[in-house]
Amino acid sequence: RIFSSSSLRAKETTEILLNGETDSVVYLDPLREISLGPWEGMLISDIETKYPKEYHDYRHSPERFKLNGAETLPAVQKRGVAAIRQIVDQCPNGSALVISHGTLIRTILAFYEGRGFKQLPSAPKVDNCSHSIVEFNATERPTILKYSDNN
């Protein structure tokens, strides 16, 4: 089964990945990227100038990141982990392809690793179009087999 973020960017990636064969794809809003409120559409240089503390926290101290109108990382993680749990429940004896976004993926992987938000900056980067593989077992904690194309 195939699941994708409902964002236009993810839909376009999904279409390219599947050579246009997207009839069976389930598009889910909970797989969308973090909502950054007033930062949406801004250049990073402008964000750094207008929101220096918030930008610093987002990049270097994500456990402290708060921006009026934006999602927090714990909220993103909760949303993402819940979406993955629903997907796993829908595919009990099979596999699923999930197309999503970097911050959402990093917070989900951090959850399965037991990595706190304070350690998120030291986590491996999730590159665009990279893939991670997580194995789910009913009796054990999920195992990350591949993290952003790295073993």
Side-chain angles (χ1 to χ4, degrees):
R1 303 217 29 213
I2 303 166
F3 301 85
S4 174
S5 161
S6 60
S7 77
L8 178 60
R9 183 170 47 124
K11 286 180 177 181
E12 289 171 346
T13 299
T14 302
E15 187 167 328
I16 292 166
L17 181 66
L18 301 176
N19 295 317
E21 301 291 325
T22 59
D23 291 343
S24 64
V25 176
V26 177
Y27 294 99
L28 300 174
D29 289 344
L31 294 176
R32 292 176 76 96
E33 183 60 292
I34 184 172
S35 171
L36 292 172
W39 290 4
E40 301 287 334
M42 289 181 69
L43 297 172
I44 290 175
S45 59
D46 293 340
I47 293 169
E48 287 178 293
T49 300
K50 190 170 180 181
Y51 301 91
K53 182 197 179 316
E54 293 88 348
Y55 184 75
H56 178 272
D57 287 349
Y58 182 75
R59 289 287 183 211
H60 304 288
S61 301
E63 74 281 5
R64 292 192 306 223
F65 173 69
K66 286 189 174 62
L67 176 67
N68 193 22
E71 279 185 289
T72 63
L73 290 172
V76 171
Q77 183 182 67
K78 183 177 181 180
R79 171 170 58 85
V81 169
I84 295 300
R85 182 78 261 152
Q86 289 178 342
I87 290 168
V88 169
D89 289 346
Q90 290 180 36
C91 305
N93 297 316
S95 60
L97 172 63
V98 178
I99 297 106
S100 191
H101 307 272
T103 300
L104 182 81
I105 293 167
R106 288 181 81 211
T107 63
I108 292 168
L109 293 173
F111 177 82
Y112 294 135
E113 289 179 300
R115 183 187 301 261
F117 294 110
K118 192 172 189 172
Q119 291 82 36
L120 205 54
S122 64
K125 187 175 187 257
V126 174
D127 293 317
N128 288 343
C129 298
S130 65
H131 73 288
S132 299
I133 301 172
V134 180
E135 182 177 61
F136 291 83
N137 180 316
T139 60
E140 299 173 18
R141 182 182 191 99
T143 304
I144 299 170
L145 303 177
K146 185 175 287 245
Y147 193 122
S148 188
D149 290 333
N150 298 306
N151 290 334

